[in-house]
Amino acid sequence: MFFHAAKAFGFLSAPSNALLLLGLAGVVASLLGYRAGFALTTAALVGFALAGLSPLGNLLLNPLEDRFPRAAGEPAPAGIVVLGGSFDTVVAGARKEVVLTDAAERMTEIAELARRWPEARIAFTGGSNAVLYDGATEAELAARMLESFGVPRERLTLESRSRNTVENARFTRELVTPKPGERWMLVTSAYHMPRAIGCFRKEGFDVEAWPVDYRTRGPEDAFRPFSSVSAGLRRTDVAVREWVGLVTYWALGYVDGPLPRP
């Protein structure tokens, strides 16, 4: 129930979708003779311009990306947890190929980390979050990709049931059963790290941040506009949905605060 509700809410929380619905409502209202139609349509167009061309997406994303710096490299960790989100499971299932998304760095970073810490266990967590179409699970795609990197299968722990960050933390902890005093790294996109760390803490799994997949250069991007509406809208969608996800998880008790601390 939560999964499907979250999907529907996630659709509406993306500014591009919300602005499109607002614009359509304005058009319908105008056709029906309501004076508010013009105002709704105008608001939608102005919103598209602000979200698509202004630095709004960078302003929202930067505090998330800078919240958790990378942990120190020593001592070597006992294990590395990698969150899903790097694979297009629907296309991969149809094409029988490994198909990566724009969060691919979550996986490509592992090639270096596996070489750097050859004794560390690698736990990948991710099932399939497809609603309308069946596809492969992220875990099976991750296994294929990691083995192609030369990582032996016996080093891998694969969790294929989770469909969201809460389940990532819960199911991974059940599988790896970390021992007291063990050091575990968590690899995910930098903007997603606060919510991920918060979920793992809530499950009693103490992990250290290893953020990847940065979308901004840092504070200097706070005043950098976008050269195309599509690029700005995409950045704003990612940022707003992550903030909404954080506040929602906090309200539901999945994390201890609206912006977990390092």
Side-chain angles (χ1 to χ4, degrees):
M1 182 66 181
F2 172 73
F3 173 72
H4 291 93
K7 283 293 184 182
F9 188 56
F11 176 86
L12 294 174
S13 68
S16 58
N17 293 334
L19 290 169
L20 176 62
L21 293 176
L22 181 66
L24 290 175
V27 171
V28 172
S30 296
L31 292 175
L32 294 176
Y34 291 101
R35 297 170 65 180
F38 176 77
L40 292 175
T41 305
T42 301
L45 287 173
V46 172
F48 270 119
L50 287 174
L53 294 175
S54 79
L56 177 62
N58 291 332
L59 281 167
L60 291 171
L61 209 60
N62 189 244
L64 297 172
E65 291 196 328
D66 287 346
R67 189 66 168 173
F68 283 87
R70 281 191 176 178
E74 299 297 335
I80 306 163
V81 178
V82 191
L83 295 196
S86 299
F87 301 99
D88 186 325
T89 57
V90 174
V91 176
R95 295 288 186 179
K96 310 302 179 187
E97 296 286 345
V98 174
V99 182
L100 295 168
T101 67
D102 53 5
E105 201 173 323
R106 298 185 189 186
M107 290 300 301
T108 57
E109 181 74 7
I110 295 301
E112 167 60 21
L113 297 184
R115 182 200 62 78
R116 182 176 182 180
W117 295 310
E119 302 302 319
R121 297 165 61 189
I122 297 174
F124 179 90
T125 169
S128 174
N129 62 2
V131 176
L132 298 178
Y133 303 99
D134 292 327
T137 66
E138 289 206 72
E140 62 185 273
L141 296 172
R144 288 173 57 185
M145 189 170 184
L146 290 170
E147 287 179 327
S148 75
F149 291 161
V151 180
R153 186 64 177 250
E154 55 267 23
R155 286 184 66 185
L156 305 180
T157 299
L158 303 172
E159 186 286 300
S160 61
R161 293 186 295 152
S162 58
R163 299 181 296 178
N164 54 47
T165 312
V166 176
E167 293 180 349
N168 286 147
R170 183 174 303 150
F171 297 156
T172 303
R173 188 186 189 285
E174 292 173 359
L175 275 179
V176 305
T177 56
K179 297 179 176 62
E182 279 189 341
R183 189 183 193 210
W184 283 80
M185 298 293 194
L186 178 65
V187 177
T188 189
S189 299
Y191 67 85
H192 183 59
M193 189 61 77
R195 183 153 54 120
I197 289 281
C199 288
F200 274 76
R201 284 177 179 168
K202 197 71 173 180
E203 292 297 323
F205 191 169
D206 187 22
V207 291
E208 298 181 32
W210 195 272
V212 296
D213 183 32
Y214 288 91
R215 307 297 174 92
T216 70
R217 295 177 299 170
E220 60 265 39
D221 277 354
F223 303 101
R224 180 170 66 93
F226 289 90
S227 59
S228 71
V229 172
S230 60
L233 281 174
R234 186 172 182 83
R235 182 70 52 81
T236 305
D237 279 352
V238 168
V240 170
R241 289 177 68 175
E242 190 59 33
W243 277 108
V244 169
L246 266 168
V247 173
T248 302
Y249 273 34
W250 175 48
L252 293 173
Y254 296 143
V255 299
D256 288 329
L259 187 59
R261 296 178 178 275

